[in-house]
Amino acid sequence: MKTLDVAIIGAGFAGMYALHRMRGMGLSVRAFDGAGGVGGTWWWNRYPGARVDFPSAPYYAYSFSKELNDDFVWKETQPTQAEVLSYLDHCADKLDLRSDIELETWIYDPRFDEETQRWEIETSRGDHISAQFLVCAMGSLFDANTPPIPGIEDFSGELYHTGRWPQDEVIFAGKRVGVIGTGSSGIQAIPVIASEAGHLTVFQRTPQYSIPAGNRPLEAEEWQAAIDEWDERRAAMDESPFGLPYKFSERSALEDTPDQRQKVYEEQWQRGGLHMLFSAYNDLLLDKRANDTIAEFIRGKIREIVKDPETVEKLLPDYLLGTKRQVIDNGYFETYNRDNVALVDLRKDPIHRITADSVITESGEHPLDMLVLATGFDALTGAYLKLNPTGRGGARLANTWRDRFSTYLGMVIPGFPNLFMIHGPQSPSVLFNMPLGAEREGDWICDCIRHMRENDLGAIEPAEGVEEAWAENVDQAASATLFHNTDSWYSGANIEGKHRQFIVHLGGQQYFQHLRDVADAGYEGFVTEKA
Ligand code: NA7
């Protein structure tokens, strides 16, 4: 048996940071990860075209250490999956983390022992770990969703999920490939697959408002400027509402004339990237009338780019722009002008079933050698339900969350003492700068553990009922926006039978201020036990 102060599940951005910080505090700590390498989400999601939808360091990188970049140069403005993974590998070496990371090691069913105030854990390697604290850094998008399409298990060609992409190279050349799903993963993969495959059929349920990523190589002087201005850029992230490197407009879209708006949107479109949502106007995600103006602009772009009128009709989105995860792309709409690409609109032509070598839709059979599921994840909560810890009184998480996902601060779960989540449900997670959020949440957990040690405390957990006030806090932040009008994975709508509950905290910096306030008030809303 190994006895630890802290067991961390996950060795991506969040887990590695927590490991680094906690080792620095003199705690005995190890991280466990089922993957074959460090990198978390970036280890699993190695599908063609995968990249960050965000500028590189200091923004999408560890911001706590400029030195981590001393011998690492980012090569593209929005890095590829391979580049991010290589950065995280570099960080694992540079911070000397590997000796405390156990890879290819899964953890399920950990159990809190109320007598010892410790988590008892059996790993897939048969080791028994006893740890006072369990830190879950499992990633918000881990539990890959394979939809229950009739016959899917009969498919005998190559079958891949973007979120579980194989290590070995996948060859598309000469093959008839089908892609189901047009979220970020599908839209990143489709242009690359189309350029290599014999034929590509895209099965689309919801058309998307994709914006050009505007990705390009990072010039040496641009990278040097990022290093020279590190502190200023880092400070700007702390000021920006969502830790983003964008200038936020202070102007309503409704204050401008249609011609003025067209000019503003065109400038943003040419510039590329997620800027458009924040820098064009301040009410695009708050006011439907403002949202309609940008939605119509993008529909206009789709009409301009795609040549076949029937395909255009299938591609025109009609939900409130930005209320599903905003997608940016590298040549997505242009792909539909290729002769080897066909688009099936599943809303009009639904899938009946999958056979050994085809997808059968209402209109007929689509023969395939390979099927790529770009069908997303049981986001935010799926990994926790698979972990299914046992808390106080033998309560299983699946039972605690049977009717509603309940947390306090998105960091802890009622009835599960000494278990912390990073990027958990009801935290900002995917709607804040994720590496920065991971650092802040990791720091908060470190401070909490230090507080417990200094006060001779053995266990900490949410006080009775605080989860209800927290759920209201999450709902309030969302209700000021247009997000709750749309079915999305933010609200559990992508998974059959999942609670319909908005589980991302939209408070941005205010959320992190709230975390600090709770700590400053002596961990308000928590109850503790002496060691
Ligand atoms: P997403 O954004 O959840 O996209 C999944 C896509 O798969 C989306 O187009 C779904 O359509 C589609 N989907 C899901 N289930 C089905 C079924 N049963 N039939 C047809 N189509 C289906 O996941 P991604 O991996 O693309 O992106 C996840 C995040 O990773 C992304 O937001 C970034 O943060 C990085 P729907 O829209 O539900 O109609």
Side-chain angles (χ1 to χ4, degrees):
M1 180 172 90
K2 279 186 200 141
T3 303
L4 297 173
D5 293 319
V6 188
I8 298 172
I9 308 180
F13 263 110
M16 293 211 300
Y17 179 71
L19 176 60
H20 170 66
R21 278 290 326 270
M22 288 173 183
R23 274 199 333 195
M25 287 167 69
L27 297 169
S28 63
V29 51
R30 284 178 88 69
F32 302 87
D33 198 310
V38 300
T41 301
W42 295 103
W43 193 89
W44 294 102
N45 286 267
R46 49 183 74 221
Y47 59 84
R51 68 168 70 238
V52 195
D53 51 10
F54 215 67
S56 57
Y59 306 113
Y60 198 87
Y62 285 126
S63 74
F64 74 94
S65 164
K66 187 173 159 185
E67 291 67 38
L68 282 173
N69 295 291
D70 281 351
D71 38 13
F72 190 90
V73 176
W74 292 90
K75 297 191 195 69
E76 298 193 43
T77 55
Q78 291 157 33
T80 60
Q81 171 271 338
E83 203 176 353
V84 181
L85 191 60
S86 127
Y87 168 76
L88 288 169
D89 264 317
H90 163 83
C91 293
D93 291 334
K94 194 125 181 178
L95 299 171
D96 193 21
L97 298 178
R98 291 193 196 272
S99 56
D100 286 320
I101 299 177
E102 292 186 32
L103 296 170
E104 295 180 333
T105 307
W106 295 95
I107 290 177
Y108 295 110
D109 305 323
R111 186 178 58 82
F112 185 71
D113 184 325
E114 295 178 49
E115 289 296 310
T116 60
Q117 301 170 314
R118 301 179 72 80
W119 283 93
E120 303 301 326
I121 301 162
E122 305 289 335
T123 73
S124 58
R125 291 178 176 272
D127 291 329
H128 182 182
I129 315 286
S130 174
Q132 186 183 4
F133 300 101
L134 182 61
V135 172
C136 299
M138 303 183 294
S140 302
L141 299 164
F142 174 73
D143 189 19
N145 167 40
T146 297
I149 302 173
I152 196 161
E153 62 288 349
D154 298 335
F155 189 72
S156 63
E158 293 169 76
L159 179 65
Y160 304 111
H161 191 293
T162 48
R164 287 288 177 279
W165 202 257
Q167 299 292 302
D168 297 334
E169 192 190 358
V170 173
I171 309 285
F172 301 103
K175 293 180 186 160
R176 298 164 304 175
V177 181
V179 174
I180 302 182
T182 51
S184 297
S185 306
I187 284 182
Q188 287 184 332
I190 284 164
V192 184
I193 297 176
S195 70
E196 295 174 21
H199 187 269
L200 171 65
T201 307
V202 177
F203 299 92
Q204 168 198 273
R205 187 161 68 183
T206 306
Q208 289 276 13
Y209 298 98
S210 192
I211 297 172
N215 184 60
R216 57 179 173 75
L218 195 64
E219 304 294 339
E221 53 273 23
E222 289 177 296
W223 175 234
Q224 191 53 48
I227 295 295
D228 294 345
E229 294 166 16
W230 188 271
D231 293 337
E232 292 87 326
R233 293 189 188 193
R234 181 73 190 67
M237 284 156 72
D238 284 339
E239 293 297 312
S240 153
F242 299 98
L244 306 173
Y246 309 135
K247 192 167 173 299
F248 278 64
S249 169
E250 291 180 357
R251 193 171 174 77
S252 161
L254 306 173
E255 285 174 58
D256 274 355
T257 64
D259 283 351
Q260 285 167 328
R261 280 198 295 264
Q262 183 72 16
K263 191 160 167 276
V264 169
Y265 290 144
E266 185 61 41
E267 270 169 22
Q268 295 294 335
W269 179 270
Q270 295 306 333
R271 181 181 184 193
L274 288 172
H275 295 271
M276 192 158 187
L277 277 191
F278 307 100
S279 309
Y281 294 108
N282 67 0
D283 51 356
L284 298 177
L285 298 174
L286 304 177
D287 186 323
K288 181 176 180 314
R289 293 165 305 161
N291 194 285
D292 287 343
T293 65
I294 186 170
E296 190 45 36
F297 173 84
I298 296 187
R299 283 192 289 265
K301 284 291 177 191
I302 298 170
R303 289 187 191 99
E304 248 173 62
I305 297 169
V306 180
K307 298 200 174 100
D308 172 48
E310 270 182 40
T311 308
V312 168
E313 282 312 306
K314 295 178 194 168
L315 284 169
L316 294 180
D318 54 7
Y319 67 93
L320 290 162
L321 181 143
T323 56
K324 279 176 176 285
R325 173 73 180 201
Q326 181 60 44
V327 180
I328 61 176
D329 69 274
N330 289 283
Y332 174 64
F333 292 118
E334 290 80 352
T335 301
Y336 293 100
N337 292 332
R338 297 178 64 102
D339 291 338
N340 68 336
V341 177
L343 176 63
V344 178
D345 175 359
L346 297 181
R347 296 200 288 196
K348 294 210 171 106
D349 186 10
I351 297 178
H352 284 190
R353 69 191 160 88
I354 296 178
T355 70
D357 56 3
S358 71
V359 170
I360 300 182
T361 64
E362 180 100 15
S363 66
E365 185 162 16
H366 306 271
L368 299 174
D369 304 305
M370 184 194 294
L371 183 56
V372 174
L373 301 175
T375 43
F377 303 87
D378 184 350
L380 294 144
T381 52
Y384 287 90
L385 288 169
K386 291 261 158 70
L387 180 70
N388 203 10
T390 302
R392 264 196 205 289
R396 303 301 301 263
L397 183 62
N399 203 36
T400 302
W401 280 358
R402 192 186 53 227
D403 301 322
R404 247 187 109 67
F405 301 115
S406 54
T407 77
Y408 179 43
L409 309 172
M411 301 280 298
V412 287
I413 304 171
F416 292 79
N418 294 3
L419 182 154
F420 296 101
M421 302 183 285
I422 303 180
H423 292 321
Q426 300 188 320
S427 78
S429 61
V430 293
L431 292 177
F432 191 81
N433 176 329
M434 290 201 82
L436 181 62
E439 289 177 14
R440 292 213 185 140
E441 290 177 39
D443 289 344
W444 190 90
I445 296 167
C446 288
D447 289 345
C448 182
I449 292 175
R450 181 178 295 112
H451 167 85
M452 289 180 68
R453 292 282 156 108
E454 286 170 0
N455 292 281
D456 197 26
L457 300 173
I460 188 163
E461 63 197 288
E464 203 179 323
V466 287
E467 72 275 13
E468 283 159 30
W470 187 247
E472 268 173 42
N473 191 312
V474 175
D475 286 345
Q476 241 173 30
S479 65
T481 71
L482 297 173
F483 278 87
H484 56 277
N485 295 305
T486 301
D487 281 350
S488 71
W489 52 261
Y490 301 144
S491 58
N494 65 328
I495 302 293
E496 264 183 53
K498 186 167 177 174
H499 309 321
R500 287 300 188 92
Q501 187 186 338
F502 198 83
I503 47 173
V504 185
H505 196 292
L506 284 172
Q509 299 287 4
Q510 284 164 13
Y511 165 87
F512 291 101
Q513 184 57 50
H514 190 100
L515 279 191
R516 285 190 290 274
D517 293 345
V518 165
D520 290 349
Y523 296 90
E524 193 175 24
F526 284 88
V527 286
T528 53
E529 275 177 1
K530 280 286 178 195

